[in-house]
Amino acid sequence: MTRVPPGLPRPPTAAPANWLDRYLREAARRVDREIQAVIEADIDDPWLRGAVEYHFGWADEDFAALPTDQRVPGGKKLRPALAALTYQGAVAARTNGGEGAMDHDGIDNAMPLAAALELVHNFSLVHDDIEDGDVTRRGRPTLWSICGPAQAINIGDTLHALAYTSIARLKERGVDDRRWAALVSALARTVVKMTIGQRRDMAYETTTEIDIEMYLQMITGKTAGVIACATFGGALLALGDSDDGARNTVAAYREFGRQLGLAFQIRDDLLGIWGTESTTGKSGSSDLQRRKKSFPIVFAFDAASAGDRRRLQDLYAATTEVTGEDEATIRRILDSCDAADHAQSRIELHAERARRALSTAAGGPDAIAGNSYLCALEELTDQLTSRR
């Protein structure tokens, strides 16, 4: 059921059970449809179109279109869903229409923005796979491993450009010039910050001189930055920024997304070491094998005993393959300084800050309880920061 803050009455007509799951599935379908429309309108080269569709799971390794029932699921589409939910929640709050069971009325108004966010996210995935040398994604060969890194860079660049052609479609849906320009600017600035975050992430691969503040700056530019753009963009699309009240509300929605993004990434880091393959879809050793400088590792660089710290730094500075004995040593060091507990505490800190920012944006807990879309954002916050 949709989460309602303890001690507050449930909305008069609460959302039905499992509504959020159905909403996310429907939002994902609509985002795919919007992206497909952008691709068809703007890519007239059959090979390039097939390559883009392969990346999204809509084509096979020869870039031939797959039947709908054979398409590969294309990820959670978290960012588009957050943009859509924020848009609908802010509209409902503005019009005092928050009561009542949730539906999908109005969701299509946010789809060009939602699709743009998904296109930006996927352009970054294509480039990340090249930079990291990853040869599989979602159980299939990565794009660059099929067509080579040079062509994959071109395809990633195309996805980036398509994000702005998607945003342009907002003009066809009546969005005024001021709001449209602000959304374009926000998306562009997000990409710049994401690129800075990626530069830092790559630079950290060759050093162990990293602290928690450096780590947080890095993920603020990457994961948290794009999620903040989603909630900011959804609110801006709904409310504009023509007065101080609207600007403050939109800023609070942005902070909600930023804090949620920080909690989401740290939770991902925790699962990357202690999650099980049956629930996460990847080995709990993969982040250790890649010597990923995730939150628990960066925490241990500072919190472990002097001897353990030196040993951990030596292991992460090495260029040889991580052996089973090395992995056991890393896990012992992490356990010795309670790195998992500290990571979970940090997740809970940012999740609570996200809830407070959402409450500020809504106008208080009562306003959330009376707005089914905002209740869904609270529920999604709980799911994302405690997922297994």
Side-chain angles (χ1 to χ4, degrees):
M1 296 293 289
T2 298
R3 179 183 182 275
V4 176
L8 292 175
R10 186 171 296 279
T13 50
N18 301 320
W19 179 89
L20 179 56
D21 288 340
R22 295 199 299 275
Y23 182 100
L24 295 175
R25 287 194 297 271
E26 177 63 18
R29 282 193 291 269
R30 296 198 190 197
V31 168
D32 281 346
R33 192 168 62 201
E34 192 79 23
I35 291 174
Q36 187 75 62
V38 171
I39 291 170
E40 291 175 357
D42 293 302
I43 302 180
D44 60 7
D45 181 271
W47 184 90
L48 183 58
R49 180 185 296 185
V52 167
E53 291 182 346
Y54 171 80
H55 174 73
F56 282 112
W58 307 338
D60 63 22
E61 292 182 29
D62 294 321
F63 299 163
L66 289 168
T68 302
D69 61 353
Q70 294 180 26
R71 290 181 170 185
V72 178
K76 298 177 287 294
K77 293 187 173 60
L78 166 65
R79 296 146 192 86
L82 284 167
L85 275 172
T86 301
Y87 169 77
Q88 292 185 275
V91 168
R94 184 193 66 201
T95 59
N96 296 318
E99 296 81 3
M102 305 179 204
D103 54 35
H104 297 99
D105 289 347
I107 191 175
D108 283 335
N109 295 332
M111 280 300 104
L113 169 64
L117 289 160
E118 187 66 9
L119 285 159
V120 161
H121 174 57
N122 278 273
F123 120 75
S124 74
L125 296 182
V126 171
H127 285 193
D128 282 357
D129 286 342
I130 299 167
E131 292 162 355
D132 295 341
D134 288 336
V135 295
T136 59
R137 177 172 291 280
R138 298 169 186 155
R140 300 201 305 167
T142 49
L143 202 54
W144 77 267
S145 70
I146 293 177
C147 61
Q151 287 288 13
I153 290 170
N154 285 337
I155 297 161
D157 291 346
T158 300
L159 292 172
H160 182 201
L162 288 177
Y164 294 96
T165 67
S166 182
I167 284 281
R169 293 162 70 90
L170 285 170
K171 300 295 289 287
E172 302 169 7
R173 304 188 192 190
V175 174
D176 60 84
D177 288 346
R178 178 188 175 95
R179 205 170 304 192
W180 177 78
L183 287 167
V184 171
S185 176
L187 188 64
R189 290 173 182 271
T190 296
V191 172
V192 172
K193 290 176 181 177
M194 182 173 63
T195 306
I196 293 171
Q198 178 67 356
R199 184 207 69 78
R200 288 172 171 161
D201 195 7
M202 294 172 71
Y204 295 167
E205 292 176 0
T206 58
T207 181
T208 58
E209 297 300 319
I210 310 168
D211 58 29
I212 292 297
E213 184 58 35
M214 294 167 66
Y215 165 88
L216 291 174
Q217 287 177 356
M218 181 265 290
I219 66 168
T220 296
K222 293 182 65 176
T223 309
V226 183
I227 291 177
C229 185
T231 55
F232 169 82
L236 183 67
L237 186 60
L239 305 175
D241 61 353
S242 58
D243 58 60
D244 288 344
R247 283 190 290 273
N248 290 339
T249 299
V250 170
Y253 277 114
R254 185 208 293 270
E255 180 62 9
F256 162 67
R258 189 179 77 87
Q259 294 293 341
L260 175 59
L262 293 171
F264 175 82
Q265 182 58 61
I266 298 171
R267 183 68 181 175
D268 199 59
D269 287 353
L270 189 151
L271 293 175
I273 297 175
W274 290 284
T276 60
E277 188 168 3
S278 61
T279 54
T280 66
K282 68 176 183 177
S283 168
S285 299
S286 61
D287 282 1
L288 299 182
Q289 293 290 332
R290 295 174 60 179
R291 293 185 171 90
K292 182 178 177 181
K293 308 291 175 48
S294 60
F295 182 93
I297 298 298
V298 174
F299 173 81
F301 283 157
D302 179 64
S305 67
D308 280 347
R309 187 183 312 130
R310 285 192 299 272
R311 179 63 177 140
L312 185 63
Q313 289 174 331
D314 287 344
L315 286 169
Y316 269 74
T319 57
T320 55
E321 183 178 343
V322 176
T323 67
E325 183 180 352
D326 292 339
E327 182 181 331
T329 299
I330 295 169
R331 290 185 180 277
R332 179 192 62 74
I333 293 170
L334 293 175
D335 289 343
S336 73
C337 58
D338 298 323
D341 289 343
H342 282 278
Q344 186 57 40
S345 294
R346 192 75 192 218
I347 293 162
E348 292 167 3
L349 170 67
H350 291 296
E352 182 55 34
R353 288 175 178 174
R355 295 185 192 98
R356 288 203 300 266
L358 181 61
S359 180
T360 298
D366 288 338
I368 293 177
N371 184 318
S372 294
Y373 299 104
L374 300 185
C375 280
L377 285 174
E378 277 203 327
E379 181 179 352
L380 193 55
T381 299
D382 292 344
Q383 288 184 11
L384 293 174
T385 56
S386 61
R387 69 193 192 286
R388 298 183 59 82

